[in-house]
Structures are given as C-alpha cells and as structure tokens.
Amino acid sequence: AVVKVQYPDAAAMMRADFWCLETLLWLIGESAALVVTRQIREQFKVELDYAQEAVHLRELHGSLARAPEFADRVAVPAPIPELTHGGVIGMEYLPGPKLELVCRERMEALGVNFKGQSISDWLAGQQRESMDRLGIDGNGDGGGAASGAPVAPGTAGHGGASLASRLVQCLGSLAL
C-alpha cells in the first residue's frame, strides 16, 4: 500500500499564504491577477480535501478499468477505504516505472534534452530562461533596480506591463 499523508498545518498555511498574496495584489491594484489567484486558491482547497480526492481516485480507477482503450495502457491505484480518513489517503501500490521516468523517456524521444537534469530542475531552468527573455527576474525586482531595491510593478524594468500581463506572458512562453 501507498499512504499519502497531509501535513497537519497544510490548510492553515495555505490560507495564510493566499491571504498574504491576495492582500498584496489588492494593495497594488492588480485586480486581474487577484481574480486568477482566487481561482488558484479554490483549486488548492480542492486539492487539500483528501476525502474528495479519494472519491475522485475511486471514480477514475473504475472508469479507466472499464474503458477498453485505457484498461491495458493506464493504471490508476485504487483507494483503500480503511486507510483513508481525514488527512490520509491509502491506495494500492502499483509496481512499475515512476511516471517521471516514463514522461522523461517520451519527452527525450520527442527531442527534449534535459542536459542531465531532473524534470523538475529542467522545468525550473525553462521558467528562468523564459523570465529572462521577458526581462523579469526571480527576485521580484524586474532586473531594473541597480541599487537592489524592488521596482514597483508597472514601472521601470517591466516596460510598463502589469503584473498580470507579465505572468500571462511568462506562463505562455514556456514552450515545451
């Protein structure tokens, strides 16, 4: 069996983090980014509901097992009800290669060169390169403050673009 355990303070930490982010976006007048952030928060709330995740896991497992086009190609573990409660989901162990390995092999077959990195490190590098192309650095200062002080969104270093539009550009530029 595989047991997925939620950190005891995960929900409280998520609420606090999103409250801070939403407050910041509200203070700087980024209403478009605030709308997206609230949608992301709602999705995170769903992800933290392990009882609902177990229901979805059970439904997906059953649906794929009954679908002839997927039955022999896709495996989803069945939840184990007696190991699932509160912040814990128990599920059957599925032997075989990890999803990351299978994805990596397929991406390499399509010509992606990971340069010896893990997928997560490679993706982080792709994100940094995209941000560099857009003139955004990972420190939130837009690369425009010689003194090291943060540059306010929509000012020098950002070409006048709003935070929301820069985020959209950054995410849209991640061509894999």
Side-chain angles (χ1 to χ4, degrees), residues 74-96:
V74 178
V76 174
I80 302 171
E82 52 274 6
L83 296 179
T84 301
H85 54 86
V88 177
I89 296 178
M91 60 192 92
E92 70 178 322
Y93 172 76
L94 296 177

Side-chain angles (χ1 to χ4, degrees), residues 56-157:
H56 291 155
L57 184 62
R58 184 173 20 267
E59 290 172 354
L60 183 60
H61 174 80
S63 294
L64 290 176
R66 289 187 302 276
E69 62 269 30
F70 295 115
D72 296 331
R73 301 177 69 200
V74 178
V76 174
I80 302 171
E82 52 274 6
L83 296 179
T84 301
H85 54 86
V88 177
I89 296 178
M91 60 192 92
E92 70 178 322
Y93 172 76
L94 296 177
K98 291 188 175 190
L99 180 60
E100 181 177 354
L101 176 62
V102 173
C103 290
R104 180 186 190 95
E105 289 171 351
R106 292 192 182 214
M107 291 173 74
E108 285 173 340
L110 294 170
V112 174
N113 181 358
F114 290 99
K115 302 172 187 156
Q117 299 174 310
S118 69
I119 289 179
S120 59
D121 288 343
W122 179 80
L123 286 171
Q126 294 295 305
Q127 181 181 21
R128 281 190 300 276
E129 288 175 19
S130 295
M131 290 175 73
D132 288 346
R133 283 193 304 273
L134 293 169
I136 303 168
D137 72 20
N139 297 321
D141 67 8
S147 68
V151 175
T155 62

